[in-house]
Amino acid sequence: MKVIRDSIHKDIYLEDYELEVIDSSEIQRLRNIKQTGLTYLVYPSANHTRFEHSLGTMFISSKIAEKINADKKLARISALLHDIGHPPFSHTLEIFGYDHEYFGKRKIKKMDLVNFSSSEVIKTLNKKNLEGKIISGDVDADRMDYLLRDSYHTGTAYGMIDLPRILRGLTTFKSFNKVKIGVLKKGIQAIESLLVARHQMYSAVYMHPTVRIADTMMKRAVMKEILEKNLNVEDLSLMDDISLVSFLRMSENYLMEKIDRRDLYKNLITYGYSDLTPVERWIFANLDENQVLQLEEKFYNHFGCDVFLDICSIPKMEEHNVYIVSKEEIRRLDEVSPIARSLKMAEIQLWNIALYAPRENIKHLKENDDVKKKIHKILKEIDFEIKSKLVDILREYKSIIGKGKFLEIARERGISPKEFYEELHKLIFCGLIKERFNGRKYIYSLSNSINSHYL
Amino acid sequence: MKVIRDSIHKDIYLEDYELEVIDSSEIQRLRNIKQTGLTYLVYPSANHTRFEHSLGTMFISSKIAEKINADKKLARISALLHDIGHPPFSHTLEIFGYDHEYFGKRKIKKMDLVNFSSSEVIKTLNKKNLEGKIISGDVDADRMDYLLRDSYHTGTAYGMIDLPRILRGLTTFKSFNKVKIGVLKKGIQAIESLLVARHQMYSAVYMHPTVRIADTMMKRAVMKEILEKNLNVEDLSLMDDISLVSFLRMSENYLMEKIDRRDLYKNLITYGYSDLTPVERWIFANLDENQVLQLEEKFYNHFGCDVFLDICSIPKMEEHNVYIVSKEEIRRLDEVSPIARSLKMAEIQLWNIALYAPRENIKHLKENDDVKKKIHKILKEIDFEIKSKLVDILREYKSIIGKGKFLEIARERGISPKEFYEELHKLIFCGLIKERFNGRKYIYSLSNSINSHYL
Amino acid sequence: MKVIRDSIHKDIYLEDYELEVIDSSEIQRLRNIKQTGLTYLVYPSANHTRFEHSLGTMFISSKIAEKINADKKLARISALLHDIGHPPFSHTLEIFGYDHEYFGKRKIKKMDLVNFSSSEVIKTLNKKNLEGKIISGDVDADRMDYLLRDSYHTGTAYGMIDLPRILRGLTTFKSFNKVKIGVLKKGIQAIESLLVARHQMYSAVYMHPTVRIADTMMKRAVMKEILEKNLNVEDLSLMDDISLVSFLRMSENYLMEKIDRRDLYKNLITYGYSDLTPVERWIFANLDENQVLQLEEKFYNHFGCDVFLDICSIPKMEEHNVYIVSKEEIRRLDEVSPIARSLKMAEIQLWNIALYAPRENIKHLKENDDVKKKIHKILKEIDFEIKSKLVDILREYKSIIGKGKFLEIARERGISPKEFYEELHKLIFCGLIKERFNGRKYIYSLSNSINSHYL
Amino acid sequence: MKVIRDSIHKDIYLEDYELEVIDSSEIQRLRNIKQTGLTYLVYPSANHTRFEHSLGTMFISSKIAEKINADKKLARISALLHDIGHPPFSHTLEIFGYDHEYFGKRKIKKMDLVNFSSSEVIKTLNKKNLEGKIISGDVDADRMDYLLRDSYHTGTAYGMIDLPRILRGLTTFKSFNKVKIGVLKKGIQAIESLLVARHQMYSAVYMHPTVRIADTMMKRAVMKEILEKNLNVEDLSLMDDISLVSFLRMSENYLMEKIDRRDLYKNLITYGYSDLTPVERWIFANLDENQVLQLEEKFYNHFGCDVFLDICSIPKMEEHNVYIVSKEEIRRLDEVSPIARSLKMAEIQLWNIALYAPRENIKHLKENDDVKKKIHKILKEIDFEIKSKLVDILREYKSIIGKGKFLEIARERGISPKEFYEELHKLIFCGLIKERFNGRKYIYSLSNSINSHYL
């Protein structure tokens, strides 16, 4: 047994074999990967790392496993490993299809996990068992740890959730023969406070306009190197913040140089959720990085300076799916909690797309009215059709009653459940498909605005 | 006015010109210099930087200046700049005579400080005025910030001083026509708690055995590069943690590789303060780095593996000089506070010298009795005379009454006051000179043990 | 200047004349009045008092006044006095029309406020000036202090608002020639978090089912004494928790005896907001205490034991009226914040009426189906007409566009603005009047359900 | 299982039978007994009670029992009951021989403890087993809880000990066939910090001059009622703060009236430890309450107003006896820790005797030089011999080597071990007996100053 002193959970006790795993280069690498990417340029104390977060996730997973009688040891070891696939600066550099879960599993396969086989841990991280849902699910250890930790290290009060009270409310239930994690009725308030914390951290930290600018600059800096074949995407899975920054410095990457001097780009225009039609949202949400770079090239050619386009990714809002369990029934949080519903609305309002330009050019660009027009023009020219099989289905059916029914039709047309859920979520988010709840079932139909453009 | 959110002081307000100074590359560089060196290898959350600490020192300096009616703006700007001369990993790499104050001032000379001249700031950092003493003195903003900050980010409770209460007790007084910072009688307890906090942080964090091992490994890694002319000492003043680590990795420095894998050396032997005679302490305290390296070479030749020698530097214990001010009299904290006195004793007990060897060799070395004997033998062979002009003086005078008197004699023999105070402190610390207080004056004499060796 | 150490704000500095006011018996009395009534029976650490809260409100008022350039001294002295009219156990005992603001002002009139006249302080507490709005308004010092304090002393994390960030967002603006306090756009999030905190404290603490039972028992205990002429309502303004409890013990009040033994009543039935029709809500919301006591007498006669009826008061939700100020426009928080809107909904859902019976009788009552039927019957027999002049107006007009228009009509029929606003809020809350917003104006009409009963 | 939310330990889980015991009137009574007596008159937030503290002590006892494999359930139930014998205002009213341990046990005898017998709990509280030492001993749950709690509720930072780190260092060892609680070497620092916390809380809170004045006034108020036979000592064991205060108010006790108005007495003279000779300390330390009252009567007759004499009780400093356990040896903390030793010195320095007079008389008394002289005179006239059997023994033996030897001689003269240890501690504290440690044994001799008086 060893003890590590953590800023959040204080004493974290470790078994000897866990220590062996921690001492692997895969986990030690996380010491040099900042948990919140370039957030430290806005919140100077946000220098905490994926390493601490991994220990913390292990700690909370352990507590949850105890509460719901899951396999504590398996939950712990898997939690410890859940983030080893991250690129430098964590989520910031998930570019060109980089999937941290894929790289994580690839690494685990090759590791010696002492008392565990790689395959059980991978199975867990794939959420094939209860332990997996403890680490990452609707109410999970990962999220609880990062809210507490990011809030502590940024100095904001927002992420300060009431961990013991959340734990008190957790339970398990059976659904379609699978054991799932749910929340007792008396735990609703604690879960609501988790949602509130997450929402507030999103708006104060994760989506902070300047953090997003810095992140975009770093993304572009690295994309440039990849496109110029100085680096390939896979390399990122082995680098840490140090080797990446030092690589960029040596390449004399001009964006890195600006980041080092904190000479950050400025906001030129922001199009909020309600500034765009559903079709426009859908277009932007589906642009891939190469298309974005093409647009940016057009901007460059017109304005003679960088104009970067930053499109928020669409939030998953998994916590809204939490099941509230009582003797009588099992219901989704969203159905029983007006706060949960409104946070969903608020979350949607945070989504936007923004354009950034260098500090030295911004004044000139902002004062020139033609710039805005030109940008609109370029954005409107995006040649992109609303290709969506689900929209096609609804064009045909007009309205479908029941999510199960909808899935059934989709599967007949060769759409996998995973694709179905993701695309449906995205279409609803963008406002192309309307989802209503008649008290018993969800009803789906096309939005009226499906053909309108108003950028 | 801008606000920066800090983990410790929450909202730190900044004037526009201060922001300009902060945006200089000299201060931005501090974002990539860890406040507590390699401490993060023991306390994984200790990733905070000199940048945050500089803002925090500015914040507390500002509060103190307000309390004692000093020039707040000057105190603030100087505090902001007080640490820009640090090498990567802060104190860890003050090697081969690297003096962070010297490099700091050299940088300040070349900077544009907007509303201030470089010379006033340098004068302040040289403690030529009250503002300088606010930043660094007997009770100072620097120390208060680092105690709070290091304690918050390591997750230990020890540094949690009561800032408002300390501020409440501060005052100024005149002594030899100079205005100094003192503490009111009612503030003694708050100052004692500052001392206690400092002592506890020393023993739990700054002097943590494993932290010292990691620090020593990093020191040796860099010393090796300097000796091989791959790097020179001055370079350190421009590098940050990133460029240094990446340099060491590219040089395939074997110690860096071990640090990256957290494959830390282990303790072989520790000689505590009471394990050594005063003469032996004096010898070790005066060894320079080249002499240490020579010893380590001898060890290497004998044992076929690294054996590093780590000698604690002698603590300054400035807080003990704090003046306690009442209507009737002005006295040193040490005279009125038994806690202060005992902490001095405790501090002395923390001093030691230690030998470290690689993990893979340690078992073999420890089990072999001859190793210890051989080490003793090598250490005893150190060819080093007790050259000390102050000892010579006392050999002549037997006993001197009054520190002023002693200084007078020393000056006649060409010793500067600065040298005098430093050497005297060191000799007393080692136990070669005895200092007694007869109620009015200090009395100095040689210790009896001056000729004994018992290593 | 003196300093008082407070659990929340740490050092609170006081002017000498403020200390004199604090030393008055009117303020010292607050030391023995618990801030949160009988909450300590559920949260055992909730023993904090109106005295500390008054100091804290003074402290925050001071900070707000500084931020918005109001008269700091006036704000401070008024804040200090804002709660001196409270009866023992604070809000718990505002019975039989006890109005703590009335008694507060009556006391202030007779006090010597050293540097201030009673009339300026009363004017302030009547919110006739900016300072008054600092203490009690849409975003006010009173609420910020009690959230922080109640949360600290109950040990819940919910009230932990980010005070510096809220302060940062405060501003003033002019409306109809009056200076009001508003919130800058960038401060919306901080205000939302205040609302969230308040909501969570309501549901976790202030409306905790057991706290409400204890409060109801104490209310009935004192009402009994008043009805039996052992006490009169005015006496409460001079008593503290000690004298009241000791009076009740000496009267051998059976409810006090139960409270002392924590032998609390249990919940028999709860009718939630959605269990009742708008008409029924309106009836219960308008029952006065004598009518409630008559119902309880009927229950007693039927069931042979106490059955207490506890009707939530209708929440004011003033924070929702906060004005958000930007260069372009001034809007109500509710209009711009989906979170604010949903919290309003959530707040409404918390409203209910509940029936309690002694622990020893509860099992029997619950198991007997006739009991519930009998209670329904008694409640349905309440002979109460929906007397509401505003409903009458709407019966006539069908629909009225614009709140101003509605007020105008109401005034013509002799309704004062104060009555109008209160009654309208209550009618909307109960669901008897519908309020829609067409983007420019509010439109009022009668709810369809105005005649239905479904208890 | 039930959960209670505590301000310090957050969720405290309780077994059903524990809840039953908590619901007894003996424990519920503690809800109305303030933990720190009249401290709330200085630290207004210090309204926490013995009830919360009892729960907290139970919580920590539970953690310690787990760590050292003691009987957790027995430790918990005993901890819960350890304070039920306290009079109103806790230690403040331990007057005329009131012994809270005696009354506690008397109550326990009559209680129904569900799963436990009264006798096992009493045995535990008598420290006849390991569980008893967990609750009250050298490092105990009682002290840890009150330091954390009193510090949290007063708002001072001083008591904030690092609970998990202290727990980590606890162990057990055998001595004379008894299992005792000790501290591992690596836990020394954590224990030192406990000592430091305790010392700082003593000087900032428990021995705060104004707190002591308020306590003395309350003591005298109650003593007066007892002497006038309106109350007897035993009554205190059944009263709570409410019934006592209300009794004093109804008796129109003038001191109670002053306390209610916070019209506190002021300090007239303080004689510090070093202002008195050993003999004088001994005299004051041995005065009983009746003798003190006689002196106060003399003062009254001379000065025409109350002059109260407050003599600190002699601190037990049990933590200094903590055993530090390593493989090689078992030593007392005091021997290995210079901080512990110096805190002992500092503790001694806090001891004093003080005289207080009414606010309205103080100025007159202070300005009149004769007053001080007269007081000296009265105090010097105290007719009190140094009756001490241990002094007699040392007069005979001159010097005794070994505490065991000394005890042996004492027992021969009919002194019980308990008496021996108490008297010896007191004599050493006063400076009448000198204790030296020669490295192996303690050596006892009489102090030279045994006959001198210098008040």
Side-chain angles (χ1 to χ4, degrees), chain D residues 5 94 96 108 176 187 242 338 372 411 427:
Chain D
R5 176 51 62 118
E94 296 193 310
F96 290 133
I108 290 168
F176 298 102
I242 290 176
K372 216 164 184 170
R411 293 183 81 161
L427 287 162

Side-chain angles (χ1 to χ4, degrees), chain C residues 27-45:
Chain C
I27 290 190
Q28 290 298 317
R29 169 179 169 268
L30 300 179
R31 287 189 186 271
N32 290 316
I33 295 185
K34 285 197 167 59
Q35 167 77 7
T36 47
L38 283 91
T39 302
Y40 74 99
L41 288 172
V42 174
Y43 290 97
S45 324

